[in-house]
Amino acid sequence: MRRLLRALASAAALAALLSACGGGGNPDTITYRDAEDRSLFELPNDWHLYRADELVQVAPVPFLPDTGGNIVSFVAFDGAAGRNLGNVALDAAASEFPVGAQIIRRISDTERNDISNRSMALSAYNAYTAGLGVEMLNLVDDPSFDRNYDGIRGYLGVTLQDGSLEGVIYVRAVHNPDMTELYSMAAGCSLDCFTRERDVIEEAVNSWVVNTRR
């Protein structure tokens, strides 16, 4: 995983643009735009972004499932009181503040044959590394993408071994028409945190825009 993130540091993360919203933008948010103009999203301006070159120091990151080195671009973020790389290493069930990530990955030939709503949702978070379970909650097709980009949105419930719900993740994911690239955006935290921060989390994830005109 560390080798994967080092490779990202010299590619997508190198030219990543992070800037305050300008012009008619909202002064209470910050905007992240992918270096190759593939996507963008907005976060509250008191949240923190972590680029791939920084994330080398904290692998593994639950919001970066290891899919064999097919990652094109990756950025993580959190809504903690202070900026700390260790925040993004927390699993959602243990985090008392929002944590999340945007990932752009290539879809391998093997994965292409097994693409489903479930696999797209799980591309955004790996609960299994922490010995946790995942259940799909209200996972539906997302009609907001166009040009034959098939997407989903919904919730992942993060469960302990006894099946009890300990965390919730809101996720959106979409693949391009020829099924060569998969985009995902997700954020979540412990059940108590998600109950408290749900509106802010959903607003951040729903601000995500994928450039379907590339």
Side-chain angles (χ1 to χ4, degrees):
M1 181 68 75
R2 290 182 183 274
R3 184 167 53 190
L4 167 61
L5 290 175
R6 288 193 183 97
L8 288 176
S10 62
L14 185 61
L17 172 64
L18 172 62
S19 62
C21 291
N26 185 345
D28 295 327
T29 63
I30 53 176
T31 300
Y32 173 85
R33 186 186 301 272
D34 174 69
E36 297 184 2
D37 198 29
R38 296 170 181 263
S39 62
L40 64 82
F41 59 85
E42 295 182 348
L43 300 176
N45 61 12
D46 57 349
W47 285 23
H48 315 98
L49 272 163
Y50 304 90
R51 300 186 310 274
D53 54 345
E54 299 177 279
L55 294 166
V56 172
Q57 305 171 47
V58 294
V61 176
F63 278 91
L64 178 56
D66 188 352
T67 57
N70 292 327
I71 306 296
V72 174
S73 175
F74 173 67
V75 60
F77 51 85
D78 70 56
R83 193 177 194 277
N84 186 324
L85 276 169
N87 294 342
V88 296
L90 294 173
D91 64 75
S95 179
E96 292 305 316
F97 45 80
V99 183
Q102 179 200 238
I103 310 169
I104 302 174
R105 69 175 79 246
R106 287 181 292 273
I107 302 173
S108 69
D109 292 340
T110 301
E111 292 171 325
R112 190 173 300 119
N113 295 329
D114 296 317
I115 286 290
S116 64
N117 285 2
R118 179 183 175 85
S119 67
M120 285 197 289
L122 291 176
S123 72
Y125 187 78
N126 185 3
Y128 304 115
T129 58
L132 303 173
V134 174
E135 59 181 78
M136 304 294 145
L137 306 173
N138 299 323
L139 198 63
V140 298
D141 292 337
D142 190 334
S144 61
F145 300 101
D146 60 6
R147 294 174 64 90
N148 299 316
Y149 276 65
D150 292 329
I152 56 96
R153 73 169 73 206
Y155 304 87
L156 299 179
V158 183
T159 61
L160 299 182
Q161 291 183 348
D162 64 2
S164 59
L165 183 64
E166 292 295 311
V168 179
I169 298 165
Y170 181 50
V171 58
R172 297 178 67 198
V174 63
H175 64 72
N176 61 354
D178 59 3
M179 298 179 69
T180 58
E181 293 182 332
L182 178 63
Y183 303 71
S184 65
M185 174 76 172
C189 51
S190 69
L191 185 57
D192 287 345
C193 166
F194 195 88
T195 301
R196 183 179 65 250
E197 302 287 346
R198 177 174 179 172
D199 289 347
V200 178
I201 290 171
E202 292 185 354
E203 184 175 1
V205 175
N206 286 334
S207 74
W208 182 57
V209 177
V210 172
N211 183 1
T212 61
R213 303 284 174 174
R214 292 182 74 250

mmCIF file with all atom_site columns, all heavy atoms in Angstrom, residues 74-102:
data_model
loop_
_atom_site.group_PDB
_atom_site.id
_atom_site.type_symbol
_atom_site.label_atom_id
_atom_site.label_alt_id
_atom_site.label_comp_id
_atom_site.label_asym_id
_atom_site.label_entity_id
_atom_site.label_seq_id
_atom_site.pdbx_PDB_ins_code
_atom_site.Cartn_x
_atom_site.Cartn_y
_atom_site.Cartn_z
_atom_site.occupancy
_atom_site.B_iso_or_equiv
_atom_site.pdbx_formal_charge
_atom_site.auth_seq_id
_atom_site.auth_comp_id
_atom_site.auth_asym_id
_atom_site.auth_atom_id
_atom_site.pdbx_PDB_model_num
ATOM 1   N N   . PHE A 1 74  ? -6.229  10.123 -5.794 1.00 0.00 ? 74  PHE A N   1
ATOM 2   C CA  . PHE A 1 74  ? -6.776  9.873  -4.460 1.00 0.00 ? 74  PHE A CA  1
ATOM 3   C C   . PHE A 1 74  ? -6.531  11.075 -3.568 1.00 0.00 ? 74  PHE A C   1
ATOM 4   O O   . PHE A 1 74  ? -5.435  11.630 -3.550 1.00 0.00 ? 74  PHE A O   1
ATOM 5   C CB  . PHE A 1 74  ? -6.112  8.633  -3.856 1.00 0.00 ? 74  PHE A CB  1
ATOM 6   C CG  . PHE A 1 74  ? -6.475  8.376  -2.420 1.00 0.00 ? 74  PHE A CG  1
ATOM 7   C CD1 . PHE A 1 74  ? -7.756  8.016  -2.075 1.00 0.00 ? 74  PHE A CD1 1
ATOM 8   C CD2 . PHE A 1 74  ? -5.531  8.483  -1.417 1.00 0.00 ? 74  PHE A CD2 1
ATOM 9   C CE1 . PHE A 1 74  ? -8.104  7.769  -0.759 1.00 0.00 ? 74  PHE A CE1 1
ATOM 10  C CE2 . PHE A 1 74  ? -5.859  8.241  -0.096 1.00 0.00 ? 74  PHE A CE2 1
ATOM 11  C CZ  . PHE A 1 74  ? -7.152  7.885  0.235  1.00 0.00 ? 74  PHE A CZ  1
ATOM 12  N N   . VAL A 1 75  ? -7.543  11.505 -2.856 1.00 0.00 ? 75  VAL A N   1
ATOM 13  C CA  . VAL A 1 75  ? -7.397  12.566 -1.872 1.00 0.00 ? 75  VAL A CA  1
ATOM 14  C C   . VAL A 1 75  ? -8.327  12.247 -0.711 1.00 0.00 ? 75  VAL A C   1
ATOM 15  O O   . VAL A 1 75  ? -9.451  11.781 -0.912 1.00 0.00 ? 75  VAL A O   1
ATOM 16  C CB  . VAL A 1 75  ? -7.715  13.957 -2.476 1.00 0.00 ? 75  VAL A CB  1
ATOM 17  C CG1 . VAL A 1 75  ? -9.134  14.030 -2.989 1.00 0.00 ? 75  VAL A CG1 1
ATOM 18  C CG2 . VAL A 1 75  ? -7.446  15.066 -1.467 1.00 0.00 ? 75  VAL A CG2 1
ATOM 19  N N   . ALA A 1 76  ? -7.841  12.426 0.510  1.00 0.00 ? 76  ALA A N   1
ATOM 20  C CA  . ALA A 1 76  ? -8.642  12.155 1.700  1.00 0.00 ? 76  ALA A CA  1
ATOM 21  C C   . ALA A 1 76  ? -8.918  13.463 2.433  1.00 0.00 ? 76  ALA A C   1
ATOM 22  O O   . ALA A 1 76  ? -8.268  14.482 2.196  1.00 0.00 ? 76  ALA A O   1
ATOM 23  C CB  . ALA A 1 76  ? -7.920  11.166 2.615  1.00 0.00 ? 76  ALA A CB  1
ATOM 24  N N   . PHE A 1 77  ? -9.875  13.403 3.353  1.00 0.00 ? 77  PHE A N   1
ATOM 25  C CA  . PHE A 1 77  ? -10.236 14.616 4.094  1.00 0.00 ? 77  PHE A CA  1
ATOM 26  C C   . PHE A 1 77  ? -10.861 14.235 5.428  1.00 0.00 ? 77  PHE A C   1
ATOM 27  O O   . PHE A 1 77  ? -11.265 13.087 5.646  1.00 0.00 ? 77  PHE A O   1
ATOM 28  C CB  . PHE A 1 77  ? -11.205 15.483 3.280  1.00 0.00 ? 77  PHE A CB  1
ATOM 29  C CG  . PHE A 1 77  ? -12.401 14.746 2.743  1.00 0.00 ? 77  PHE A CG  1
ATOM 30  C CD1 . PHE A 1 77  ? -13.545 14.555 3.510  1.00 0.00 ? 77  PHE A CD1 1
ATOM 31  C CD2 . PHE A 1 77  ? -12.389 14.222 1.454  1.00 0.00 ? 77  PHE A CD2 1
ATOM 32  C CE1 . PHE A 1 77  ? -14.642 13.876 3.018  1.00 0.00 ? 77  PHE A CE1 1
ATOM 33  C CE2 . PHE A 1 77  ? -13.483 13.540 0.939  1.00 0.00 ? 77  PHE A CE2 1
ATOM 34  C CZ  . PHE A 1 77  ? -14.615 13.364 1.726  1.00 0.00 ? 77  PHE A CZ  1
ATOM 35  N N   . ASP A 1 78  ? -10.922 15.193 6.335  1.00 0.00 ? 78  ASP A N   1
ATOM 36  C CA  . ASP A 1 78  ? -11.599 14.968 7.610  1.00 0.00 ? 78  ASP A CA  1
ATOM 37  C C   . ASP A 1 78  ? -12.191 16.266 8.134  1.00 0.00 ? 78  ASP A C   1
ATOM 38  O O   . ASP A 1 78  ? -11.852 17.349 7.664  1.00 0.00 ? 78  ASP A O   1
ATOM 39  C CB  . ASP A 1 78  ? -10.654 14.358 8.651  1.00 0.00 ? 78  ASP A CB  1
ATOM 40  C CG  . ASP A 1 78  ? -9.595  15.314 9.147  1.00 0.00 ? 78  ASP A CG  1
ATOM 41  O OD1 . ASP A 1 78  ? -9.940  16.407 9.636  1.00 0.00 ? 78  ASP A OD1 1
ATOM 42  O OD2 . ASP A 1 78  ? -8.401  14.989 9.050  1.00 0.00 ? 78  ASP A OD2 1
ATOM 43  N N   . GLY A 1 79  ? -13.079 16.121 9.098  1.00 0.00 ? 79  GLY A N   1
ATOM 44  C CA  . GLY A 1 79  ? -13.709 17.274 9.732  1.00 0.00 ? 79  GLY A CA  1
ATOM 45  C C   . GLY A 1 79  ? -13.336 17.382 11.191 1.00 0.00 ? 79  GLY A C   1
ATOM 46  O O   . GLY A 1 79  ? -14.128 17.859 12.013 1.00 0.00 ? 79  GLY A O   1
ATOM 47  N N   . ALA A 1 80  ? -12.120 16.968 11.527 1.00 0.00 ? 80  ALA A N   1
ATOM 48  C CA  . ALA A 1 80  ? -11.646 17.027 12.915 1.00 0.00 ? 80  ALA A CA  1
ATOM 49  C C   . ALA A 1 80  ? -11.349 18.469 13.329 1.00 0.00 ? 80  ALA A C   1
ATOM 50  O O   . ALA A 1 80  ? -11.235 19.372 12.489 1.00 0.00 ? 80  ALA A O   1
ATOM 51  C CB  . ALA A 1 80  ? -10.395 16.173 13.073 1.00 0.00 ? 80  ALA A CB  1
ATOM 52  N N   . ALA A 1 81  ? -11.171 18.660 14.609 1.00 0.00 ? 81  ALA A N   1
ATOM 53  C CA  . ALA A 1 81  ? -10.875 20.002 15.115 1.00 0.00 ? 81  ALA A CA  1
ATOM 54  C C   . ALA A 1 81  ? -9.504  20.481 14.674 1.00 0.00 ? 81  ALA A C   1
ATOM 55  O O   . ALA A 1 81  ? -9.285  21.680 14.487 1.00 0.00 ? 81  ALA A O   1
ATOM 56  C CB  . ALA A 1 81  ? -10.980 20.011 16.641 1.00 0.00 ? 81  ALA A CB  1
ATOM 57  N N   . GLY A 1 82  ? -8.562  19.552 14.486 1.00 0.00 ? 82  GLY A N   1
ATOM 58  C CA  . GLY A 1 82  ? -7.218  19.907 14.050 1.00 0.00 ? 82  GLY A CA  1
ATOM 59  C C   . GLY A 1 82  ? -6.738  18.984 12.955 1.00 0.00 ? 82  GLY A C   1
ATOM 60  O O   . GLY A 1 82  ? -7.185  17.835 12.845 1.00 0.00 ? 82  GLY A O   1
ATOM 61  N N   . ARG A 1 83  ? -5.824  19.478 12.142 1.00 0.00 ? 83  ARG A N   1
ATOM 62  C CA  . ARG A 1 83  ? -5.310  18.690 11.032 1.00 0.00 ? 83  ARG A CA  1
ATOM 63  C C   . ARG A 1 83  ? -4.296  17.670 11.550 1.00 0.00 ? 83  ARG A C   1
ATOM 64  O O   . ARG A 1 83  ? -3.332  18.029 12.214 1.00 0.00 ? 83  ARG A O   1
ATOM 65  C CB  . ARG A 1 83  ? -4.654  19.611 9.996  1.00 0.00 ? 83  ARG A CB  1
ATOM 66  C CG  . ARG A 1 83  ? -4.365  18.962 8.655  1.00 0.00 ? 83  ARG A CG  1
ATOM 67  C CD  . ARG A 1 83  ? -3.772  19.993 7.680  1.00 0.00 ? 83  ARG A CD  1
ATOM 68  N NE  . ARG A 1 83  ? -3.779  19.502 6.305  1.00 0.00 ? 83  ARG A NE  1
ATOM 69  C CZ  . ARG A 1 83  ? -2.859  18.704 5.791  1.00 0.00 ? 83  ARG A CZ  1
ATOM 70  N NH1 . ARG A 1 83  ? -1.829  18.303 6.545  1.00 0.00 ? 83  ARG A NH1 1
ATOM 71  N NH2 . ARG A 1 83  ? -2.943  18.284 4.531  1.00 0.00 ? 83  ARG A NH2 1
ATOM 72  N N   . ASN A 1 84  ? -4.518  16.384 11.225 1.00 0.00 ? 84  ASN A N   1
ATOM 73  C CA  . ASN A 1 84  ? -3.626  15.326 11.684 1.00 0.00 ? 84  ASN A CA  1
ATOM 74  C C   . ASN A 1 84  ? -3.756  14.152 10.720 1.00 0.00 ? 84  ASN A C   1
ATOM 75  O O   . ASN A 1 84  ? -4.852  13.612 10.531 1.00 0.00 ? 84  ASN A O   1
ATOM 76  C CB  . ASN A 1 84  ? -4.013  14.887 13.105 1.00 0.00 ? 84  ASN A CB  1
ATOM 77  C CG  . ASN A 1 84  ? -3.042  13.903 13.699 1.00 0.00 ? 84  ASN A CG  1
ATOM 78  O OD1 . ASN A 1 84  ? -2.501  13.044 13.008 1.00 0.00 ? 84  ASN A OD1 1
ATOM 79  N ND2 . ASN A 1 84  ? -2.813  13.999 14.999 1.00 0.00 ? 84  ASN A ND2 1
ATOM 80  N N   . LEU A 1 85  ? -2.649  13.746 10.118 1.00 0.00 ? 85  LEU A N   1
ATOM 81  C CA  . LEU A 1 85  ? -2.685  12.653 9.157  1.00 0.00 ? 85  LEU A CA  1
ATOM 82  C C   . LEU A 1 85  ? -3.270  11.373 9.748  1.00 0.00 ? 85  LEU A C   1
ATOM 83  O O   . LEU A 1 85  ? -3.910  10.584 9.049  1.00 0.00 ? 85  LEU A O   1
ATOM 84  C CB  . LEU A 1 85  ? -1.273  12.370 8.637  1.00 0.00 ? 85  LEU A CB  1
ATOM 85  C CG  . LEU A 1 85  ? -0.777  13.236 7.483  1.00 0.00 ? 85  LEU A CG  1
ATOM 86  C CD1 . LEU A 1 85  ? 0.708   13.011 7.263  1.00 0.00 ? 85  LEU A CD1 1
ATOM 87  C CD2 . LEU A 1 85  ? -1.568  12.926 6.218  1.00 0.00 ? 85  LEU A CD2 1
ATOM 88  N N   . GLY A 1 86  ? -3.052  11.172 11.032 1.00 0.00 ? 86  GLY A N   1
ATOM 89  C CA  . GLY A 1 86  ? -3.564  9.968  11.670 1.00 0.00 ? 86  GLY A CA  1
ATOM 90  C C   . GLY A 1 86  ? -5.076  9.874  11.638 1.00 0.00 ? 86  GLY A C   1
ATOM 91  O O   . GLY A 1 86  ? -5.632  8.778  11.765 1.00 0.00 ? 86  GLY A O   1
ATOM 92  N N   . ASN A 1 87  ? -5.752  11.002 11.450 1.00 0.00 ? 87  ASN A N   1
ATOM 93  C CA  . ASN A 1 87  ? -7.216  10.982 11.414 1.00 0.00 ? 87  ASN A CA  1
ATOM 94  C C   . ASN A 1 87  ? -7.760  10.092 10.303 1.00 0.00 ? 87  ASN A C   1
ATOM 95  O O   . ASN A 1 87  ? -8.775  9.414  10.473 1.00 0.00 ? 87  ASN A O   1
ATOM 96  C CB  . ASN A 1 87  ? -7.761  12.401 11.220 1.00 0.00 ? 87  ASN A CB  1
ATOM 97  C CG  . ASN A 1 87  ? -7.479  13.304 12.407 1.00 0.00 ? 87  ASN A CG  1
ATOM 98  O OD1 . ASN A 1 87  ? -7.179  12.829 13.496 1.00 0.00 ? 87  ASN A OD1 1
ATOM 99  N ND2 . ASN A 1 87  ? -7.578  14.606 12.198 1.00 0.00 ? 87  ASN A ND2 1
ATOM 100 N N   . VAL A 1 88  ? -7.096  10.095 9.149  1.00 0.00 ? 88  VAL A N   1
ATOM 101 C CA  . VAL A 1 88  ? -7.631  9.347  8.011  1.00 0.00 ? 88  VAL A CA  1
ATOM 102 C C   . VAL A 1 88  ? -7.305  7.857  8.100  1.00 0.00 ? 88  VAL A C   1
ATOM 103 O O   . VAL A 1 88  ? -7.761  7.073  7.269  1.00 0.00 ? 88  VAL A O   1
ATOM 104 C CB  . VAL A 1 88  ? -7.124  9.922  6.676  1.00 0.00 ? 88  VAL A CB  1
ATOM 105 C CG1 . VAL A 1 88  ? -7.631  11.332 6.486  1.00 0.00 ? 88  VAL A CG1 1
ATOM 106 C CG2 . VAL A 1 88  ? -5.614  9.875  6.583  1.00 0.00 ? 88  VAL A CG2 1
ATOM 107 N N   . ALA A 1 89  ? -6.516  7.462  9.096  1.00 0.00 ? 89  ALA A N   1
ATOM 108 C CA  . ALA A 1 89  ? -6.238  6.046  9.322  1.00 0.00 ? 89  ALA A CA  1
ATOM 109 C C   . ALA A 1 89  ? -7.289  5.403  10.214 1.00 0.00 ? 89  ALA A C   1
ATOM 110 O O   . ALA A 1 89  ? -7.298  4.185  10.387 1.00 0.00 ? 89  ALA A O   1
ATOM 111 C CB  . ALA A 1 89  ? -4.854  5.871  9.947  1.00 0.00 ? 89  ALA A CB  1
ATOM 112 N N   . LEU A 1 90  ? -8.197  6.201  10.780 1.00 0.00 ? 90  LEU A N   1
ATOM 113 C CA  . LEU A 1 90  ? -9.242  5.664  11.635 1.00 0.00 ? 90  LEU A CA  1
ATOM 114 C C   . LEU A 1 90  ? -10.308 4.968  10.802 1.00 0.00 ? 90  LEU A C   1
ATOM 115 O O   . LEU A 1 90  ? -10.660 5.432  9.719  1.00 0.00 ? 90  LEU A O   1
ATOM 116 C CB  . LEU A 1 90  ? -9.903  6.799  12.434 1.00 0.00 ? 90  LEU A CB  1
ATOM 117 C CG  . LEU A 1 90  ? -9.057  7.529  13.469 1.00 0.00 ? 90  LEU A CG  1
ATOM 118 C CD1 . LEU A 1 90  ? -9.832  8.711  14.021 1.00 0.00 ? 90  LEU A CD1 1
ATOM 119 C CD2 . LEU A 1 90  ? -8.668  6.581  14.596 1.00 0.00 ? 90  LEU A CD2 1
ATOM 120 N N   . ASP A 1 91  ? -10.823 3.852  11.322 1.00 0.00 ? 91  ASP A N   1
ATOM 121 C CA  . ASP A 1 91  ? -11.979 3.265  10.651 1.00 0.00 ? 91  ASP A CA  1
ATOM 122 C C   . ASP A 1 91  ? -13.214 4.060  11.055 1.00 0.00 ? 91  ASP A C   1
ATOM 123 O O   . ASP A 1 91  ? -13.251 4.723  12.090 1.00 0.00 ? 91  ASP A O   1
ATOM 124 C CB  . ASP A 1 91  ? -12.125 1.788  11.000 1.00 0.00 ? 91  ASP A CB  1
ATOM 125 C CG  . ASP A 1 91  ? -12.405 1.560  12.470 1.00 0.00 ? 91  ASP A CG  1
ATOM 126 O OD1 . ASP A 1 91  ? -13.556 1.808  12.891 1.00 0.00 ? 91  ASP A OD1 1
ATOM 127 O OD2 . ASP A 1 91  ? -11.493 1.127  13.198 1.00 0.00 ? 91  ASP A OD2 1
ATOM 128 N N   . ALA A 1 92  ? -14.235 4.025  10.194 1.00 0.00 ? 92  ALA A N   1
ATOM 129 C CA  . ALA A 1 92  ? -15.410 4.863  10.405 1.00 0.00 ? 92  ALA A CA  1
ATOM 130 C C   . ALA A 1 92  ? -16.124 4.560  11.719 1.00 0.00 ? 92  ALA A C   1
ATOM 131 O O   . ALA A 1 92  ? -16.706 5.449  12.334 1.00 0.00 ? 92  ALA A O   1
ATOM 132 C CB  . ALA A 1 92  ? -16.376 4.697  9.235  1.00 0.00 ? 92  ALA A CB  1
ATOM 133 N N   . ALA A 1 93  ? -16.077 3.318  12.162 1.00 0.00 ? 93  ALA A N   1
ATOM 134 C CA  . ALA A 1 93  ? -16.770 2.965  13.393 1.00 0.00 ? 93  ALA A CA  1
ATOM 135 C C   . ALA A 1 93  ? -16.152 3.635  14.617 1.00 0.00 ? 93  ALA A C   1
ATOM 136 O O   . ALA A 1 93  ? -16.808 3.811  15.635 1.00 0.00 ? 93  ALA A O   1
ATOM 137 C CB  . ALA A 1 93  ? -16.766 1.448  13.579 1.00 0.00 ? 93  ALA A CB  1
ATOM 138 N N   . ALA A 1 94  ? -14.879 4.017  14.513 1.00 0.00 ? 94  ALA A N   1
ATOM 139 C CA  . ALA A 1 94  ? -14.175 4.588  15.662 1.00 0.00 ? 94  ALA A CA  1
ATOM 140 C C   . ALA A 1 94  ? -14.047 6.105  15.598 1.00 0.00 ? 94  ALA A C   1
ATOM 141 O O   . ALA A 1 94  ? -13.639 6.721  16.575 1.00 0.00 ? 94  ALA A O   1
ATOM 142 C CB  . ALA A 1 94  ? -12.778 3.971  15.772 1.00 0.00 ? 94  ALA A CB  1
ATOM 143 N N   . SER A 1 95  ? -14.363 6.710  14.470 1.00 0.00 ? 95  SER A N   1
ATOM 144 C CA  . SER A 1 95  ? -14.116 8.136  14.292 1.00 0.00 ? 95  SER A CA  1
ATOM 145 C C   . SER A 1 95  ? -15.278 8.973  14.811 1.00 0.00 ? 95  SER A C   1
ATOM 146 O O   . SER A 1 95  ? -16.430 8.765  14.423 1.00 0.00 ? 95  SER A O   1
ATOM 147 C CB  . SER A 1 95  ? -13.891 8.454  12.811 1.00 0.00 ? 95  SER A CB  1
ATOM 148 O OG  . SER A 1 95  ? -13.672 9.836  12.629 1.00 0.00 ? 95  SER A OG  1
ATOM 149 N N   . GLU A 1 96  ? -14.953 9.947  15.649 1.00 0.00 ? 96  GLU A N   1
ATOM 150 C CA  . GLU A 1 96  ? -15.969 10.846 16.193 1.00 0.00 ? 96  GLU A CA  1
ATOM 151 C C   . GLU A 1 96  ? -16.067 12.144 15.395 1.00 0.00 ? 96  GLU A C   1
ATOM 152 O O   . GLU A 1 96  ? -16.670 13.115 15.841 1.00 0.00 ? 96  GLU A O   1
ATOM 153 C CB  . GLU A 1 96  ? -15.680 11.143 17.667 1.00 0.00 ? 96  GLU A CB  1
ATOM 154 C CG  . GLU A 1 96  ? -15.869 9.940  18.567 1.00 0.00 ? 96  GLU A CG  1
ATOM 155 C CD  . GLU A 1 96  ? -17.265 9.326  18.432 1.00 0.00 ? 96  GLU A CD  1
ATOM 156 O OE1 . GLU A 1 96  ? -18.247 10.096 18.402 1.00 0.00 ? 96  GLU A OE1 1
ATOM 157 O OE2 . GLU A 1 96  ? -17.369 8.090  18.335 1.00 0.00 ? 96  GLU A OE2 1
ATOM 158 N N   . PHE A 1 97  ? -15.496 12.149 14.199 1.00 0.00 ? 97  PHE A N   1
ATOM 159 C CA  . PHE A 1 97  ? -15.616 13.280 13.273 1.00 0.00 ? 97  PHE A CA  1
ATOM 160 C C   . PHE A 1 97  ? -15.655 12.704 11.860 1.00 0.00 ? 97  PHE A C   1
ATOM 161 O O   . PHE A 1 97  ? -15.186 11.581 11.619 1.00 0.00 ? 97  PHE A O   1
ATOM 162 C CB  . PHE A 1 97  ? -14.445 14.248 13.437 1.00 0.00 ? 97  PHE A CB  1
ATOM 163 C CG  . PHE A 1 97  ? -13.106 13.576 13.519 1.00 0.00 ? 97  PHE A CG  1
ATOM 164 C CD1 . PHE A 1 97  ? -12.437 13.136 12.383 1.00 0.00 ? 97  PHE A CD1 1
ATOM 165 C CD2 . PHE A 1 97  ? -12.508 13.343 14.766 1.00 0.00 ? 97  PHE A CD2 1
ATOM 166 C CE1 . PHE A 1 97  ? -11.216 12.504 12.478 1.00 0.00 ? 97  PHE A CE1 1
ATOM 167 C CE2 . PHE A 1 97  ? -11.287 12.707 14.854 1.00 0.00 ? 97  PHE A CE2 1
ATOM 168 C CZ  . PHE A 1 97  ? -10.639 12.283 13.713 1.00 0.00 ? 97  PHE A CZ  1
ATOM 169 N N   . PRO A 1 98  ? -16.200 13.439 10.909 1.00 0.00 ? 98  PRO A N   1
ATOM 170 C CA  . PRO A 1 98  ? -16.292 12.912 9.543  1.00 0.00 ? 98  PRO A CA  1
ATOM 171 C C   . PRO A 1 98  ? -14.917 12.660 8.928  1.00 0.00 ? 98  PRO A C   1
ATOM 172 O O   . PRO A 1 98  ? -13.991 13.450 9.096  1.00 0.00 ? 98  PRO A O   1
ATOM 173 C CB  . PRO A 1 98  ? -17.030 14.028 8.789  1.00 0.00 ? 98  PRO A CB  1
ATOM 174 C CG  . PRO A 1 98  ? -17.792 14.768 9.845  1.00 0.00 ? 98  PRO A CG  1
ATOM 175 C CD  . PRO A 1 98  ? -16.904 14.734 11.058 1.00 0.00 ? 98  PRO A CD  1
ATOM 176 N N   . VAL A 1 99  ? -14.798 11.547 8.232  1.00 0.00 ? 99  VAL A N   1
ATOM 177 C CA  . VAL A 1 99  ? -13.592 11.178 7.483  1.00 0.00 ? 99  VAL A CA  1
ATOM 178 C C   . VAL A 1 99  ? -14.061 10.680 6.123  1.00 0.00 ? 99  VAL A C   1
ATOM 179 O O   . VAL A 1 99  ? -15.109 10.042 6.021  1.00 0.00 ? 99  VAL A O   1
ATOM 180 C CB  . VAL A 1 99  ? -12.788 10.071 8.190  1.00 0.00 ? 99  VAL A CB  1
ATOM 181 C CG1 . VAL A 1 99  ? -11.511 9.760  7.431  1.00 0.00 ? 99  VAL A CG1 1
ATOM 182 C CG2 . VAL A 1 99  ? -12.465 10.470 9.625  1.00 0.00 ? 99  VAL A CG2 1
ATOM 183 N N   . GLY A 1 100 ? -13.285 10.960 5.081  1.00 0.00 ? 100 GLY A N   1
ATOM 184 C CA  . GLY A 1 100 ? -13.702 10.483 3.774  1.00 0.00 ? 100 GLY A CA  1
ATOM 185 C C   . GLY A 1 100 ? -12.619 10.599 2.729  1.00 0.00 ? 100 GLY A C   1
ATOM 186 O O   . GLY A 1 100 ? -11.477 10.950 3.023  1.00 0.00 ? 100 GLY A O   1
ATOM 187 N N   . ALA A 1 101 ? -12.996 10.310 1.488  1.00 0.00 ? 101 ALA A N   1
ATOM 188 C CA  . ALA A 1 101 ? -12.032 10.353 0.393  1.00 0.00 ? 101 ALA A CA  1
ATOM 189 C C   . ALA A 1 101 ? -12.745 10.367 -0.944 1.00 0.00 ? 101 ALA A C   1
ATOM 190 O O   . ALA A 1 101 ? -13.890 9.923  -1.073 1.00 0.00 ? 101 ALA A O   1
ATOM 191 C CB  . ALA A 1 101 ? -11.096 9.142  0.445  1.00 0.00 ? 101 ALA A CB  1
ATOM 192 N N   . GLN A 1 102 ? -12.027 10.869 -1.937 1.00 0.00 ? 102 GLN A N   1
ATOM 193 C CA  . GLN A 1 102 ? -12.412 10.684 -3.328 1.00 0.00 ? 102 GLN A CA  1
ATOM 194 C C   . GLN A 1 102 ? -11.344 9.818  -3.990 1.00 0.00 ? 102 GLN A C   1
ATOM 195 O O   . GLN A 1 102 ? -10.148 10.037 -3.788 1.00 0.00 ? 102 GLN A O   1
ATOM 196 C CB  . GLN A 1 102 ? -12.494 12.001 -4.090 1.00 0.00 ? 102 GLN A CB  1
ATOM 197 C CG  . GLN A 1 102 ? -12.873 11.775 -5.549 1.00 0.00 ? 102 GLN A CG  1
ATOM 198 C CD  . GLN A 1 102 ? -12.503 12.933 -6.456 1.00 0.00 ? 102 GLN A CD  1
ATOM 199 O OE1 . GLN A 1 102 ? -13.366 13.495 -7.107 1.00 0.00 ? 102 GLN A OE1 1
ATOM 200 N NE2 . GLN A 1 102 ? -11.230 13.284 -6.509 1.00 0.00 ? 102 GLN A NE2 1
#
